[in-house]
């Protein structure tokens, strides 16, 4: 397969100039779980070749129901390693940088967000999400963020809104409670993928709560069609931003 063949159907839709902008774009995705993994696959299939993926976790059995690279053979492998392997199977010429690590106060300086055109926030912990939002909106990159994708079943309720207009999402509410404080507000506006739907967990959460430990604040039920649509929507926002001239 040549790169011309790989890009042909996308280029037919967006045109040659936009195709070249897709190829030249630089994207970093923080969190490649249920949302981020699908986002990255869509970006690469759409023609973006320079992608950095960041996640500290390894594939576990409870990831298999919703995360792209989570398969039985990949159990125990770093998520970024398994995902990078899949992405290179899709486009062997893609430049995929895989970083197994966290984004926090001790590591944030290692990421030059100004070196990217787009930052995708698919992190699921409040503290790290706040830090990334603050740093990304202070950079030259454009930020797109995923709000909570758990406890949802209805794909028709998924929306895209500017952060301060997200309504009915507990994660967004928790973020706003911190980011509205003096000196904490994001430097610029950014779009979020979210849904106001909020279902109860009907099954036993004890095992998942134990597995989550100190890494995640709470484990909730999640399904693939919701996390995938969140991820595909994030990718679509980037592709649209690149290909449609302002």
């Amino acid at each position: 397969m040549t790169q011309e063949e790989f890009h042909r159907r996308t280029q037919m839709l967006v045109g040659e100039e936009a195709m070249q902008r897709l190829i030249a774009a630089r994207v970093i995705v923080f969190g490649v779980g249920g949302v981020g993994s699908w986002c990255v696959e869509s970006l690469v299939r759409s023609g973006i070749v320079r992608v950095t993926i960041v996640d500290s976790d390894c594939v576990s059995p409870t990831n298999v129901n919703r995360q792209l690279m989570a398969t039985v053979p990949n159990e125990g492998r770093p998520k970024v390693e398994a995902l990078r392997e899949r992405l290179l199977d899709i486009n062997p010429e893609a430049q995929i940088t895989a970083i197994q690590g966290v984004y926090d106060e001790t590591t944030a300086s290692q990421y030059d967000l100004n070196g990217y055109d787009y930052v995708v926030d698919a992190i699921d912990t409040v503290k790290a999400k706040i830090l990334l939002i603050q740093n990304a909106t202070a950079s030259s990159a454009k930020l797109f963020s995923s709000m909570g994708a758990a406890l949802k079943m209805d794909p028709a309720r998924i929306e895209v809104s500017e952060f301060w207009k997200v309504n009915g999402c507990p994660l967004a509410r928790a973020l706003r409670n911190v980011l509205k404080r003096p000196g904490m507000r994001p430097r610029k506006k950014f779009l979020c993928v979210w849904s106001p739907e909020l279902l109860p967990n009907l099954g036993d959460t004890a095992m998942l709560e134990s597995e989550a430990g100190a890494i995640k604040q709470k484990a909730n039920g999640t399904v693939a069609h919701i996390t995938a649509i969140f991820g595909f929507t994030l990718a679509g926002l980037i592709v649209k931003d690149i290909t449609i001239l302002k």
Side-chain angles (χ1 to χ4, degrees), residues 51-124:
V51 181
T52 298
I53 52 178
V54 183
D55 198 299
S56 63
D57 289 347
C58 293
V59 176
S60 75
T62 57
N63 300 150
V64 177
N65 81 314
R66 70 197 184 282
Q67 299 186 13
L68 183 71
M69 65 287 160
T71 61
V72 173
N74 280 336
E75 184 178 336
R77 296 183 64 194
K79 290 181 182 179
V80 292
E81 178 186 296
L83 183 56
R84 181 177 185 273
E85 186 176 281
R86 176 177 171 86
L87 298 173
L88 292 176
D89 281 343
I90 295 168
N91 184 1
E93 295 190 27
Q95 301 169 34
I96 310 297
T97 301
I99 301 174
Q100 186 181 13
V102 297
Y103 189 84
D104 60 20
E105 295 90 343
T106 65
T107 64
S109 62
Q110 300 172 19
Y111 302 95
D112 179 14
L113 301 184
N114 291 308
Y116 298 92
D117 301 299
Y118 298 93
V119 174
V120 175
D121 159 36
I123 297 173
D124 54 8

Side-chain angles (χ1 to χ4, degrees), residues 18 21 49 75 110 128 136 146 150 160 179 193 208-209 237 243:
R21 293 197 297 273
V49 297
E75 184 178 336
Q110 300 172 19
S146 171
V160 175
L179 290 170
V193 181
L208 283 177
E209 295 285 356
L237 291 170
T243 57

Side-chain angles (χ1 to χ4, degrees), residues 1 3 10 14 28 39 48 51 59 63 67 84 92 109-110 113 121 124 140 154 177 181 187 204 214 221:
M1 178 188 68
Q3 289 296 290
T10 304
V14 304
I28 185 167
C39 174
I48 294 176
V51 181
V59 176
N63 300 150
Q67 299 186 13
R84 181 177 185 273
S109 62
Q110 300 172 19
L113 301 184
D121 159 36
D124 54 8
S140 60
D154 187 353
N177 285 340
R181 297 172 187 169
R187 298 287 186 88
D204 182 9

Side-chain angles (χ1 to χ4, degrees), residues 121-199:
D121 159 36
I123 297 173
D124 54 8
T125 54
V126 172
K127 189 175 181 179
K129 209 169 184 74
I130 288 170
L131 182 64
L132 181 59
I133 288 171
Q134 289 178 316
N135 290 340
T137 57
S139 76
S140 60
K142 179 170 281 191
L143 171 68
F144 293 104
S145 180
S146 171
M147 297 295 105
L151 301 177
K152 305 178 194 308
M153 288 287 286
D154 187 353
R157 299 188 70 182
I158 297 172
E159 301 184 41
V160 175
S161 302
E162 198 279 321
F163 172 67
W164 295 105
K165 296 181 179 179
V166 174
N167 182 30
C169 172
L171 177 56
R173 186 182 308 115
L175 295 172
R176 284 197 299 269
N177 285 340
V178 176
L179 290 170
K180 68 184 179 182
R181 297 172 187 169
M184 297 291 288
R185 292 181 70 92
R187 298 287 186 88
K188 56 190 175 187
K189 294 181 178 181
F190 60 97
L191 293 178
C192 300
V193 181
W194 65 286
S195 168
E197 185 179 21
L198 194 62
L199 302 173

Side-chain angles (χ1 to χ4, degrees), residues 8-65:
R8 183 172 297 158
R9 287 300 183 99
T10 304
Q11 185 168 317
M12 286 175 64
L13 178 63
V14 304
E16 183 176 354
E17 289 186 9
M19 190 74 246
Q20 292 307 310
R21 293 197 297 273
L22 282 169
I23 294 170
R26 301 158 298 174
V27 183
I28 185 167
V29 179
F30 289 93
V32 292
V35 173
S37 60
W38 299 96
C39 174
V40 175
E41 168 136 344
S42 185
L43 291 173
V44 171
R45 287 188 184 274
S46 298
I48 294 176
V49 297
R50 293 192 286 178
V51 181
T52 298
I53 52 178
V54 183
D55 198 299
S56 63
D57 289 347
C58 293
V59 176
S60 75
T62 57
N63 300 150
V64 177
N65 81 314

